[in-house]
Amino acid sequence: METVVRPSYTDAQRMELRALVKLASEVVAPFWPFRTFVHHNVLHELEYLDFDAAVERAERVCGAQGYLPNEQYRAYVRRGQISPELLDEVLRPLAQDKAVTVGGREVSHLDVLRVHLLNGITAPSEEELEAWGQWLPDPLLLDTLIERLRGALPPANGKDGPETAVQEDREALGCRMTLADWCDRTVGTDIKAKVNAEMVKWCSAFLDEGQAAWPMPYRESGFYGTWKRVVGLGPRLALLGIADWRRKVSALPERPEDALLDSLALLAVPESSWQEYLALHLAALPGWAGFIKWRADREDYAWQLACPASLIKYLAVRLFYEREFVERACQRELGIAGDYKTIIAYMQTHPEAYYMRREWTAKRLPVRYGRQADRLANGRRGRDPEHWRALAGRMFSDAQKQGRRVELLAAAWRLMALAEGLNIAPAALAESDPEALIRMLGWLDEFPEARHGPYWLAAHEAGYQRALVRQFMANVRRLEADGRLAELRPVARPSAQVVCCIDVRSEVFRRHLEAISDYETFGFPGFFMVFIRYRPYGAEYECEQCPVILKARSTVREIPRAYHGEAARQYLSGVRLVRNWMTLFHDLKEHVITPYVTVEALGWLYSLPFIGKTLLPVWYERANAWLKRTVAPPVATTLSINKLSREEAIEILAMEQRMIVRQALREWLGVHGAYLTPELVEAFRRLALDGDESASGACARGLQRLGLSDRDIAGFVEILRRQHRLDSRWAEVRLERLTRIGLTLSEQVQTIQAGLTCMGLTHNFARLVLLLGHGSTSDNNPYESALDCGACGGGQGEPNARAWAAMANRPQVREELAKLGFVIPADTHFLAGQYDTTTDRVRLFDLEDVPPTHRHDLARLEEALKEAGMATSQERCARLPDAGGALTPTQAFRHVLRRGADWSQVRPEWGLSGNASIVVGRRLLTQGLNLEGRTFFMSYEYTKDRGSKLLEIILTAPLVVMQWINLEHYFSTVDNAAARNVFGSGSKAYHNVTGLIGVMYGTHSDLMVGLSWQTVMNGERPYHDPLRLLTIVEAPRDRISELIKRHEILQRLFDNRWVHLMAFEREGASLYRYLPRQGWIPERSTDHE
Amino acid sequence: MNKLTLHPMKKIEIIISGEHKSFVADLLDKAGATGYTIVRDIAGKGHHGFHEGHVMFFEDVMSLIMLVTVVSPEKVEPILAGLRPLFDRHSGVMFVSDVAVSRRERF
């Protein structure tokens, strides 16, 4: 490639490019590292488009599947999951009021569409058609039919010929097809795969977050800078066939924008299609690009600050490879330059040669011509388009001689298939009016199989929704008959109240708990609207315990209870010991020399967990727990929920500082015993902090007796500042942290008040109210946090439940609440717990705080929780294919424990799969219904919600999280079957963790973004039914409409059909469906049937 | 009292959905704006009707925000070039006006 004299780009050009990259990246979803894996809608940024349009764009740009294969939907029909009447319903808007008469029968447009949907009438390949024609029982009939059609069927006239091919590809080049794609399709190169392979290598090395034993050098210069520096060090580019690589690398511009502009200029991509062109490149590896996108948006992410990466930098590298490979392929195979203009010109000048090459590469040529093309392509003459043109000429003139036989045969095949579906005898076709037949063929053509997906989806959804609505309304009618429909809450005081997460997995547990006795349950987002950053005892990190899109507002720390001082020290030293051992072991393993010795000496240690986890998982788990208890005995803890006043914080800080000074004096100056006076300590503290000169006198006096000079004093102060971080700046930082801990009284009151109001728990409190968060247990599962609580940012619900209960139990909080009209009886105690969704066990926390008067209530509740857990296990095991059939509750309870500990278990639980709906309203409306763990529940009482403030929160926050979970499952299911899946992540068996951020498929692939095959599929069949979320809100329609009008996000969700919406009105006990952009209509399927 | 010398500058106000904040902020950085002010959760009326402020959730991504920056006149064009494609697809407005500042070296 000749050198271009680089134009100097203006800032305006660079900025415009940045904007184009940003818009191009909308097709790629940001990828959260799996430590905080959260379910999200992979097409989130396309939500401004209608669902079908967004899916269409994703299919076009990423090559993903947006609906299940049609054959799968047909299987649903066969299994009765989709009834044929539903198909008519969804096809009706498409069908026109037209009909033809065939075989003496009226066949409507709708009939044809339905049969097409059910049977998929697309003609097979030419060879298969010929074979079919020969084996037909009545060949005469076929001939007659063909003859009838010959006169009537308008000739296709080169519909698939070279001119059309050139026309189509000319339009596609640049916006639906990159130049690399064009080369791959025309001359059979694998440029896209080669570029991907290079990018995977660079991305996995550069974006590594501590997994690599030898990190990549120079990462501080950013993705592009590092690449530019490192790629020139070795001969890799030469091995890839890039000539003159040293000069090319050294000629690369400093700024990634300029490099990208250079590549676009060399490839001569028209400016109007830059955005689409870059989108295609980003969509080639949506996982890596998505992770870079996520990282680049995080200004405070430590790895991003240390080794900056951005999509511009990524594209600058990517397009460098593309331009080099394309140039080489075009020169070598076609003898032309590898740029847009030349390629367009080539297609226009040599349409036949181009057509033949393309068909040959795609292996679509009939065998005879295919062989000739093989010889041509492999010989010396291949570069000359004239030879290809001659070949095309021969092929077309042979086809001419054959007449239109193939075309007519295909038409006959389709008509016969259609007749079979319509139950019309094939003989009747030959006697029908050819015009009628042609019209039917036309209807088929207008509705190609590629467009069936949206209709299938609609029918599938209608099936589920109808069944749910029927169940729901039957319950409403029952309540109406009993006169209980308007009942807000139970009249009698319940045994206990349990607040569960809105998660679908709670549905099963709640149902069983309610069946045991008069336990009242509520659904509330599992972070209980406590926005906290949490630091477990002994941990060195903090985690955000609220949905990832929100920000934590205060820090809560787990601290040992005061009476556990000694045990706490033991625990900490135990934890430290384990940590040091692990570090040592890891270092030995990763070092250049030591691994050999380490493996010899300590390798056998690995066999213990290996054998234990494989053969005796439960036993191993117990032994492991025992070991942990012995090394670091558990400590009773509590949470620091109360905010310190500034004065308190300053005092605590001063105490800490005095401790530091005292220790430093002992260590550095050897001051002991009576010499170590409080005045001396205080004087040094002030000197180090504010350089208070008046204090130095006191120091001098105190130290005189030890014979230390002024210089020694100054030196010691320096040590305090440098080594012990005792200076005013650090003090400020520490103070800031201290004051961030805990919540103020009014924040606590607000949190509790909002929660209680939203749930409708404003009166009739039980003696025990349990706040039940949730988490999961699994081993060897990189996606573990996907099974934890999404509302807690992919963490476990424990801290939030404990914080909430602690606040609600505080007398001061209750006093304030009483002033606001929320009178919580003195004998009501709030309790925190965590439900393990894998093992179905519940752990309760802070039992020290339960008043002695409540011990019986507690024992009863614990008993009931266990019983409900066992029943839940039994129900869940019946759905798990490998659980061994019908188990008793006890067996099932044991089985789930084993699942959680088994490290080879690819489905520790299967809880979230199946999610399909959410009910926002009173529990009464769904109580007693078996909704199979597929429904989210959000407790809500609209009569208590003035100004719809709470509903606004519910629809704009929890609903969004539910929708993300739902669509993550949707897209992972519909695009998990093919070998190349974009949205799903394929089988877990091939997953390898890379860079501590995500998993790759095998050793070298894109970062896998979605859920694994095992999560959503059962064998070859989907286990998760891919349906969009149905939301049923118990509230007057006008309130909901008002909110939709106010919030763009709700318009996107409901009007663009990402979520279905229904409203249940208590007045009139009726259900309404929201029609996008139109409004409400009574839900038809609610009529008595 | 010393006489205050004023230097002509351009003020750019950008009102846009919060989800694009980091892009716009980054753009201003890259285009050489030395600083900017962000006003969060604003309300007002435009082509798409009235936009309300929000109560407590998603302030950052869902509500409208305004970024205000003051730059020397030659930096206006790059910033506009970077915003133009964004406004082609997403709603938002931008105003450029003349202002004067006393300490030119700060911008």
Side-chain angles (χ1 to χ4, degrees), chain A residues 255-256 446 558 646 697 716 734 762 769 787 946 956 1004:
Chain A
R255 303 176 69 149
E446 285 162 15
E558 187 183 23
R646 195 167 165 85
F716 179 64
R734 179 87 187 100
T762 46
V769 180
L787 293 176
R946 244 175 278 137
T956 54
H1004 203 85

Side-chain angles (χ1 to χ4, degrees), chain A residues 332-333 357 375-384 387:
Chain A
R332 207 173 55 183
E333 304 288 334
R357 274 191 165 277
R375 279 195 293 279
L376 197 53
N378 295 327
R380 264 177 304 155
R381 293 175 306 153
R383 272 173 65 160
D384 186 354
H387 295 289

Side-chain angles (χ1 to χ4, degrees), chain A residues 11-12 15-16 18-20 22-23 26 48 57 257 275 297 299 527 529 531 549-551 553 949 952-953 956-957 960 1046-1049 1052, chain B residues 19-23 26-27 30-31 50-62 77-79 81-86 89-91:
Chain A
D11 266 349
M15 294 304 134
E16 191 169 355
R18 299 189 79 84
L20 291 177
K22 176 196 154 59
L23 294 176
E26 283 177 355
Y48 66 89
R57 184 165 158 75
E257 292 98 330
Q275 197 197 112
D297 264 359
E299 297 105 5
F527 75 115
M529 292 210 211
F531 298 85
I549 21 190
L550 309 175
K551 282 210 175 78
R553 293 177 186 172
K949 287 281 179 225
E952 180 172 18
I953 294 172
T956 54
V960 173
R1046 273 223 303 260
H1047 289 276
E1048 198 185 339
I1049 176 134
R1052 287 183 180 189
Chain B
E19 61 188 312
H20 306 303
K21 187 196 91 189
S22 62
F23 168 75
D26 190 43
L27 181 83
K30 292 286 187 312
F50 196 83
H51 286 275
E52 287 265 1
H54 285 248
V55 241
M56 68 189 285
F57 282 102
F58 288 93
E59 307 93 330
D60 290 352
V61 282
M62 281 193 339
E77 208 213 320
I79 294 175
L83 288 172
R84 205 178 302 123
L86 191 72
R89 183 175 299 172
H90 300 290
S91 46

Side-chain angles (χ1 to χ4, degrees), chain B residues 29-46:
Chain B
D29 278 340
K30 292 286 187 312
T34 49
Y36 48 81
T37 306
I38 299 178
V39 187
R40 290 177 203 280
D41 200 17
I42 53 176
K45 190 181 165 181

Side-chain angles (χ1 to χ4, degrees), chain A residues 274-518:
Chain A
W274 279 6
Q275 197 197 112
E276 287 296 306
Y277 200 79
L278 298 174
L280 289 171
H281 271 285
L282 291 175
L285 290 173
W288 287 111
F291 179 61
I292 294 177
K293 177 175 170 172
W294 176 85
R295 239 178 83 146
D297 264 359
R298 248 49 12 192
E299 297 105 5
D300 50 353
Y301 191 57
W303 286 100
Q304 176 66 11
L305 292 174
C307 351
S310 70
L311 290 176
I312 289 253
K313 295 179 176 134
Y314 170 85
L315 286 169
V317 175
R318 198 176 161 98
L319 268 81
F320 171 81
Y321 285 109
E322 187 194 30
R323 77 184 203 211
E324 293 299 329
F325 290 154
V326 165
E327 173 69 13
R328 184 161 174 264
C330 285
Q331 289 291 0
R332 207 173 55 183
E333 304 288 334
L334 305 171
I336 59 171
D339 65 66
Y340 178 86
K341 284 189 194 121
T342 317
I343 285 175
I344 293 279
Y346 175 84
M347 287 197 287
Q348 278 171 330
T349 336
H350 310 290
E352 294 93 353
Y354 169 66
Y355 174 78
M356 289 306 276
R357 274 191 165 277
R358 197 188 80 169
E359 296 301 294
W360 170 70
T361 308
K363 299 193 171 45
R364 279 194 297 249
L365 287 183
V367 182
R368 198 149 58 93
Y369 308 104
R371 285 213 195 97
Q372 294 181 39
D374 283 346
R375 279 195 293 279
L376 197 53
N378 295 327
R380 264 177 304 155
R381 293 175 306 153
R383 272 173 65 160
D384 186 354
E386 279 313 306
H387 295 289
W388 289 92
R389 204 169 67 96
L391 180 64
R394 282 200 296 280
M395 191 174 88
F396 289 129
S397 74
D398 287 353
Q400 199 84 45
K401 280 177 215 151
Q402 263 207 353
R404 297 167 58 203
R405 182 161 167 85
V406 178
E407 201 183 314
L408 294 167
L409 204 56
W413 185 94
R414 291 203 296 165
L415 284 171
M416 291 225 189
L418 191 58
E420 194 187 327
L422 291 166
N423 280 327
I424 294 175
L429 289 174
E431 291 153 17
S432 302
D433 175 16
E435 280 308 315
L437 301 182
I438 303 300
R439 276 188 82 184
M440 293 208 295
L441 286 174
W443 291 341
L444 290 180
D445 287 339
E446 285 162 15
F447 189 46
E449 280 204 70
R451 272 184 51 208
H452 289 189
Y455 296 91
W456 277 121
L457 176 62
H460 194 195
E461 287 173 337
Y464 169 77
Q465 293 178 2
R466 191 159 291 191
L468 178 73
V469 162
R470 204 171 293 152
Q471 249 182 315
F472 181 87
M473 287 310 286
N475 196 40
V476 167
R477 300 285 169 245
R478 254 197 312 278
L479 290 171
E480 220 175 6
D482 298 348
R484 287 178 58 206
L485 187 59
E487 182 181 309
L488 293 189
R489 295 270 317 285
V491 187
R493 194 175 194 191
S495 300
Q497 282 149 341
V498 181
V499 183
C500 301
C501 183
I502 45 183
D503 196 280
V504 289
R505 291 168 289 188
S506 308
E507 191 266 329
V508 187
F509 187 79
R510 286 174 68 179
R511 174 154 41 82
H512 289 296
L513 186 65
E514 286 164 350
I516 292 168
S517 179
D518 58 339

